[in-house]
Amino acid sequence: MIDRPFSHPEHARLPVPAGLGRGLVLGSVFVCAACGLVYELELVALASYLAGDSVTQASVVLSVMVFAMGVGSLVAKRLRCRAAVGFGVVEALLALVGGCSAMALYASFAWAGEARIALVVFSFAIGLLIGAEMPLLMTLIQRIRQQDAGGAVADLFAADYVGALVGGLTFPFLLLPFFGQLTGALLTGVVNVLAGGVVVLWLFRHDLSARARWGMGVMSAAVVLFLAACMSFTVAFERAARDAVYGGDVRVALRSDVQELVLTGSTEPAPPGREGEHLELFLDGRLRVSSADESRFHEGLVHPAMADGPRARVLILGGGDGLALREVLRYAGVREVTVVELDPEVTRLGRTDPGLRRLNADAHRDPRVKLESGDAFQWLRAHARKPDARPYDVIVSDLPDPAISPSTKLYSQEFYGLASRALARNGRLAVHAGAPGERPRDYWTVESTMRAVGLRTSPYVVDGRLSGFTSGPNRSVHGGGGSG
C-alpha cells in the first residue's frame, strides 16, 4: 500500500474549503482522543476487577501507556512523509487492538489464570499507537493550511484534551452501564476506525493512489466487520469465560450500578456425599460469601459485640446478603436493626434468591429490620448531622476487606470517628480487619486507627475462612478478624 508524497504541491487538495477541512481534522483528533481514553479506562477497570488493588492496576496501565506514547511519537517520525495513509493504518490498528483489549484480558484471566502480562502488552500497544497519532495529525493539519507550529500544536492539544474529557465521562456514565466493558470497548473501536476513515479516505483521498485507497478501504471495513462480529458473540464469550472462572454452576450473573454479582451453587443444601457443592457469592470477582464457612465468619463478627451489654438498636454497615443480620436477630432484646448496603442488588438477592434466603433464614423479612441503600461513610456522616439522631447500641461493620483499595475510606480515622459518634454510651463496634496471618500490617493498622479516635479495642481472630479477599479460580484460605 503506497501513497503519493506531498512535497509538491504544498497544500492538500481537499473536497471541502480549507476551514471546514481543518475543522474535520480537529474533530477527528477529538474523537480519537475520546476513544484512546476509553481504552485506557477499560484496561484499568477490568484489571482492577480481575486482580484487585485498583491503585496498582491504574499505575501499571498509566505508566506503561505514557512510556509507549513517547516511543510511538518517535516511530511516527518515519511515517510523516506518508501521513495520510500512516494515520489510517494507525487508527485501524488502534481500533482493533483497543476494541479487543477487554476481551483478550478477560480471556487471559479466565483460561490462563493470569492477566498481568496481557495488561502490560495491551497497555504498551495502545500507548504506542496513541503516541503515533499526534505527529501524523500535525503533518496533516499543516497540509491544509500552513501556520506557526505553536498555533497548530495549541489547536491539536485543545481538541485532544476536550476529547479526553468526553471519553472520560462517556465511559462510566454511558458505555459501562448501558453496554458493559466488553461491548463498550468494541463499540469504541468501531467509532475509532470510522473517524480515521473519514479523514483518510474522504478528506485526504487525493493524497492516496487508487491502490492505496482500495487497500485502506478494505482494511477499515475488515476491522469494522471483525469488531461487529465480536460484539455479536460477547454474551456467549462472557458465559464461557464466567464458567471457566467460576465453574459451570453459575445461577445468577448480573452487573449493577456498583459491581458485578455472580451467584453459584444450588438453592438447596448439598446432599450427602456431595458436601463440596456450596453456594457462593462473588462481588467483582472476589468470593464474598461461601456457604461452607460463612457462619463461622458472621458468628465471629457479630457475637462478640452482641453478647454483652444493651442491644436494642443495631446498625449493620454492608451485609446486604442478610447473613450478619441473621446472627443479630438471634438475640433477645433486639428491637430495631438498620442495614445500610451500598448495592441494592445485593439486598434484592438476599431477599429473593432461594439459596441466600435459606442461608440468612429470611432475615430481611423480619419486621424489626429497616433496609437502606447508600454508602456507609456518607450515611454515617448524614446521621451525625441529624439533631434528633438516636445512637446505636451495636454497630457491625460487615464491609469489604481493608486490602481492597476502594474500601480504604471505610477503615479511616474519619470513618471510625463517625461510627463512634453514632454509638450509644458503652456501645460496641465490630469490624472485619482482614487476615492477620497473611496481612498483619493491614490488621494492626485497622486496630491502631480505631484507637486513634478514642475507641478501646479487643483484637481477635477467626481462622479457616475461604471468603473475603479471594478472586476467581485461585482461592486460598484466609483468616478473618474483628476489633471493637
Side-chain angles (χ1 to χ4, degrees), residues 239-286:
R239 186 183 302 113
R242 193 179 294 120
D243 289 346
V245 172
Y246 301 108
D249 55 349
V250 175
R251 288 197 298 106
V252 178
L254 58 91
R255 171 163 290 280
S256 70
D257 293 337
V258 178
Q259 60 200 341
E260 183 185 61
L261 298 89
V262 174
L263 191 60
T264 69
S266 173
T267 61
E268 301 296 332
R274 300 174 64 183
E275 286 75 12
E277 297 181 7
H278 306 297
L279 181 146
E280 295 178 329
L281 174 64
F282 295 83
L283 303 180
D284 271 349
R286 288 163 191 82

Side-chain angles (χ1 to χ4, degrees), residues 163-179:
L165 170 66
V166 172
L169 296 176
T170 299
F171 175 70
F173 296 115
L174 177 62
L175 291 177
L176 199 56
F178 291 101
F179 298 99

Side-chain angles (χ1 to χ4, degrees), residues 4 8 19 49 51 91 98-99 173 177 190 202 242 260 329-330 332 334 345 364 372 470 482:
R4 300 185 184 117
H8 297 288
Y49 160 64
E91 292 310 302
F173 296 115
V190 172
W202 180 64
R242 193 179 294 120
E260 183 185 61
L329 294 175
R330 294 184 190 276
V334 174
E345 285 297 326
H364 284 141
E372 297 196 16
T470 53

Side-chain angles (χ1 to χ4, degrees), residues 234-431:
T234 52
V235 174
F237 173 84
E238 285 182 311
R239 186 183 302 113
R242 193 179 294 120
D243 289 346
V245 172
Y246 301 108
D249 55 349
V250 175
R251 288 197 298 106
V252 178
L254 58 91
R255 171 163 290 280
S256 70
D257 293 337
V258 178
Q259 60 200 341
E260 183 185 61
L261 298 89
V262 174
L263 191 60
T264 69
S266 173
T267 61
E268 301 296 332
R274 300 174 64 183
E275 286 75 12
E277 297 181 7
H278 306 297
L279 181 146
E280 295 178 329
L281 174 64
F282 295 83
L283 303 180
D284 271 349
R286 288 163 191 82
L287 181 59
R288 178 65 175 160
V289 171
S290 172
S291 60
D293 71 340
E294 65 78 19
S295 60
R296 184 176 182 83
F297 169 72
H298 289 101
E299 289 171 1
L301 178 66
V302 172
H303 292 312
M306 292 289 293
D308 297 315
R311 47 179 177 258
R313 299 189 76 241
V314 180
L315 172 65
I316 300 176
L317 302 174
D321 49 43
L323 301 174
L325 177 61
R326 176 198 63 201
E327 300 303 319
V328 167
L329 294 175
R330 294 184 190 276
Y331 286 85
V334 174
R335 296 199 303 267
E336 178 184 338
V337 186
T338 301
V339 180
V340 180
E341 169 62 51
L342 176 63
D343 191 348
E345 285 297 326
V346 175
T347 305
R348 187 187 65 80
L349 281 178
R351 293 187 58 157
T352 61
D353 182 79
L356 280 177
R357 287 178 58 192
R358 176 179 56 80
L359 276 185
N360 64 33
D362 261 345
H364 284 141
R365 299 176 185 269
D366 193 292
R368 295 170 290 175
V369 176
K370 178 182 179 183
L371 301 173
E372 297 196 16
S373 296
D375 177 79
F377 192 101
Q378 298 301 329
W379 192 94
L380 286 174
R381 177 177 289 176
H383 181 272
R385 292 172 178 169
K386 295 179 180 177
D388 58 344
R390 296 169 57 200
Y392 291 92
D393 300 308
V394 178
I395 298 178
V396 177
S397 179
D398 187 14
L399 297 168
D401 195 284
I404 300 175
S405 298
S407 304
T408 51
K409 72 173 182 179
L410 304 177
Y411 293 87
S412 63
Q413 286 192 32
E414 292 81 2
F415 180 80
Y416 293 129
L418 291 170
S420 66
R421 292 176 62 181
L423 280 172
R425 184 177 179 84
N426 297 322
R428 286 89 65 206
L429 167 65
V431 174

Side-chain angles (χ1 to χ4, degrees), residues 92-109:
L93 290 175
L94 181 58
L96 184 62
V97 175
C100 296
S101 59
M103 290 186 77
L105 204 62
Y106 198 6
S108 176
F109 178 80

